[in-house]
Amino acid sequence: MSASALRYMRPLVRAASFIAPRTAGRLAFRLFCTPPRPAKRNGNGGTGEQALPAKLRQASPRAIPFPCGSVQAYVFEPEGRAPTRTVLLVHGWTGDAASMSGFVEPLLAEDFRVVAFDLPGHGASTGRELNIPLGVASLAAVSRVFGPFHAIVTHSFGGAIMLAALAGSVRGQPVVSADRLVLISAPSSITRITRQFGNALGLGRRGQAALERRIHVVAGNPVEAFEGPLQLESIGLPTLVIHDRQDRELGFQHAQALAEAGPFVRLEATDGLGHRRILKARPVAESVARFVVGEG
């Protein structure tokens, strides 16, 4: 949502928070869960392989149904070799499978099958919304088709979704499993993010409480159940946390909090790559591949 739109909405939202907090909370939840949908990147009206972004054309596309629609997956196989194990790539908010393509080549070189997919409301997947329960449901469906996973590599909000899926934090959803986990530019506190959003939107105390009650109803757990360090501690997997010190979307303190979950977490800091360019840095992709293989 643009800054100008927020400026006009804040007085209305603040008034609604006082007069009709439940309605304000529901509206805020809808806004919180609705990513912007960019225009289709292929403007040639092509179909099949030619309709795919160039970075995904070497993959085999596959639609995976889940209870709320379907998600589009892309499967990369090592050329001329049988894959040893499978690695899953999970993008972040407003990203897509193509945004994770920088990790594909180094992993294929190590004989891994690599699966990337568009989360609900993103890329070629169905839906207009994304929240942690929707993300976990889609991950469970992808896991049923392509699991078990040797490793899962995530970016940004994809890391929050993945932690909830691994920790079983969404009631009624099966637990996803993996042997190793990579969290790149991941948030440590959904509670903090939710309250920052409410403050930016102009929610008052009653409206913010209604928003958090709505999260509890939808997820089956209060927002505090999705705190990253607590979930990571309960999972206990070998985990690599990579975060840029100049990340302006999610400050470096998020990585430091995640790293405190236990001795099984390794923190690697980068400088000058920000929140999104970090995905295009070859040294980062190579570091991820070494960790996935088990080196270091």
Side-chain angles (χ1 to χ4, degrees), residues 25-41:
R26 283 178 172 271
L27 172 62
F29 180 76
R30 175 65 63 88
L31 292 172
F32 188 59
C33 299
T34 304
R37 275 289 216 180
K40 296 291 183 181
R41 283 180 292 188

Side-chain angles (χ1 to χ4, degrees), residues 261-295:
F264 54 88
V265 182
R266 189 172 88 216
L267 172 60
E268 290 186 7
T270 63
D271 284 291
L273 295 176
H275 188 70
R276 300 181 188 274
R277 284 187 295 115
I278 196 169
L279 297 177
K280 299 179 181 180
R282 183 73 181 192
V284 171
E286 292 172 347
S287 180
V288 167
R290 287 194 297 270
F291 175 79
V292 168
V293 169
E295 298 176 4

Side-chain angles (χ1 to χ4, degrees), residues 77-111:
E77 302 279 1
E79 187 174 354
R81 302 182 300 277
T84 55
R85 290 160 292 183
T86 302
V87 177
L88 179 66
L89 307 179
V90 185
H91 67 81
W93 189 257
T94 71
D96 56 16
S99 69
M100 301 295 289
S101 61
F103 301 99
V104 172
E105 183 185 330
L107 291 168
L108 290 178
E110 297 292 346
D111 294 341

